[in-house]
């Protein structure tokens, strides 16, 4: 039977590439979306990950359609960049709420059914800046670093239940999120000398979700063209 997969923020960008990659591999993939229409060919559930009620309702729908979620990809994320001196408290907490507490909400909802299944894969999408830091992104970097401690704690709590929890740490990926950035300046610092395509992140997520990755947990996998070398 096809595995039940849920990708948050799966309606565009990296999340959509992950959803399509896993669907092509034969999984029953559901994606969350917040507005508009779900992407064609994928089961869409409306969900804002800052709302516990939305998360609950989304999982209920996915379970009814595809069965308990066996692979959870927590990908939804936002940036609200500004220097600390100018950063309002809500600019900090909004980013933490979406990127870090959002991951908590979906993992928390997923974990008991995974324990009952006696298997599961949780993959959290962090960022190279979580470990390297980035001027203007203290909120975002804190949220992305937080995912590492969160994932590693879950890896310890649920390893004995055959549930792996890993972090994928992309570098500079061509999506809406990076459309307005100074590409030339960033690419100059990337050993591979180019941006990643979303599919290059998606293929690593597919690997981590596969049987080939059965002995990997608590890992942070950089997919950054060498940008974060050593992190
Ligand atoms: P996009 O801005 O293209 O897409 C973001 C996705 O997250 C959208 O699907 C969006 O939904 C969803 N989302 C945002 N906030 C919420 C929320 N509160 N509830 C539900 N969904 C939400 O970004 P990317 O595809 O580039 O980024 C995906 C992930 O990868 C993020 O976590 C990002 O931090 C991370 N990342 C991206 C990098 C890059 O270079 N692009 C580098 C490193 C990490 P909607 O369409 O409704 O807005």
């Amino acid at each position: 039977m096809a595995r039940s997969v849920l990708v948050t923020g799966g309606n565009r960008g990296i999340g959509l590439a992950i959803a399509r990659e896993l669907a092509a591999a034969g999984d029953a993939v559901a994606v969350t979306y917040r507005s508009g229409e779900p992407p064609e060919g994928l089961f869409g559930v409306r969900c804002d990950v800052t709302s516990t009620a939305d998360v609950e309702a989304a999982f209920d729908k996915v379970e009814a359609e595809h069965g308990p979620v066996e692979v959870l990809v927590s990908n939804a994320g936002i940036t609200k960049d500004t220097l600390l001196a100018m950063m309002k408290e809500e600019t900090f907490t909004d980013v933490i709420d979406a990127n870090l507490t959002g991951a908590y909400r979906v993992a928390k909802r997923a974990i008991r059914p995974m324990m009952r299944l006696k298997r599961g894969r949780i993959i959290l999408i962090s960022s190279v800046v979580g470990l390297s830091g980035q001027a203007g992104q203290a909120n975002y970097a804190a949220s992305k670093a937080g995912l590492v401690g969160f994932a590693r704690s879950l890896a310890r709590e649920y390893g004995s239940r055959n549930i792996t929890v890993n972090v994928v740490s992309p570098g500079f990926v061509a999506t809406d999120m990076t459309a307005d950035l100074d590409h030339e300046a960033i690419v100059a610092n990337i050993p591979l000398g180019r941006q990643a395509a979303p599919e290059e992140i998606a293929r690593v997520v597919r690997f981590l979700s596969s049987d080939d990755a059965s002995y990997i947990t608590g890992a942070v996998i950089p997919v950054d063209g060498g940008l974060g070398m050593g992190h």
Side-chain angles (χ1 to χ4, degrees), residues 134 172 178-195 224 227:
Q134 179 66 40
F172 186 41
T178 55
D180 297 333
L181 301 181
D182 180 350
H183 284 228
E184 218 173 299
I186 300 172
V187 165
N189 287 315
I190 301 174
L192 285 181
R194 62 176 180 83
Q195 262 193 308
D224 62 5
L227 178 61

Side-chain angles (χ1 to χ4, degrees), residues 2-186:
R3 299 184 305 179
S4 174
V5 172
L6 176 61
V7 183
T8 66
N11 55 309
R12 60 191 172 100
I14 295 170
L16 179 58
I18 293 168
R20 294 227 182 278
E21 181 76 27
L22 292 173
D27 292 321
V29 180
V31 296
T32 72
Y33 67 105
R34 281 188 301 180
S35 56
E37 297 292 318
E40 216 174 296
L42 294 168
F43 180 65
V45 285
R46 206 178 279 275
C47 171
D48 185 325
V49 297
T50 64
S51 158
T52 305
D54 273 19
V55 168
E56 185 66 35
F59 270 81
D60 289 350
K61 282 184 203 139
V62 173
E63 286 170 351
E65 189 75 14
H66 294 152
V69 172
E70 193 176 330
V71 179
L72 171 67
V73 183
S74 177
N75 162 83
I78 56 167
T79 53
K80 288 195 178 185
D81 297 356
T82 187
L83 299 172
L84 179 65
M86 264 81 78
M87 193 181 284
K88 296 197 176 88
E89 183 165 330
E90 68 179 31
T91 308
F92 188 84
T93 55
D94 282 357
V95 170
I96 299 289
D97 194 24
N99 297 4
L100 181 57
T101 318
Y104 152 79
R105 289 187 187 96
V106 291
K108 161 89 178 161
R109 177 59 180 77
I111 201 71
R112 283 178 194 275
M114 283 183 183
M115 288 164 73
R116 280 193 288 273
L117 273 179
K118 298 190 172 58
R119 62 179 184 278
R121 297 290 163 96
I122 299 177
I123 299 158
L124 308 178
I125 307 300
S126 177
S127 164
V128 65
V129 309
L131 297 180
S132 68
Q134 179 66 40
Q137 293 198 309
N139 49 2
Y140 181 76
S143 73
K144 294 300 188 178
L147 289 176
V148 175
F150 180 61
R152 288 182 165 159
S153 302
L154 301 192
R156 291 182 189 279
E157 287 181 19
Y158 301 105
S160 65
R161 308 297 186 110
N162 194 26
I163 297 168
T164 68
V165 187
N166 291 293
V167 171
V168 170
S169 203
F172 186 41
V173 189
T175 67
D176 297 341
M177 186 177 270
T178 55
D180 297 333
L181 301 181
D182 180 350
H183 284 228
E184 218 173 299
I186 300 172

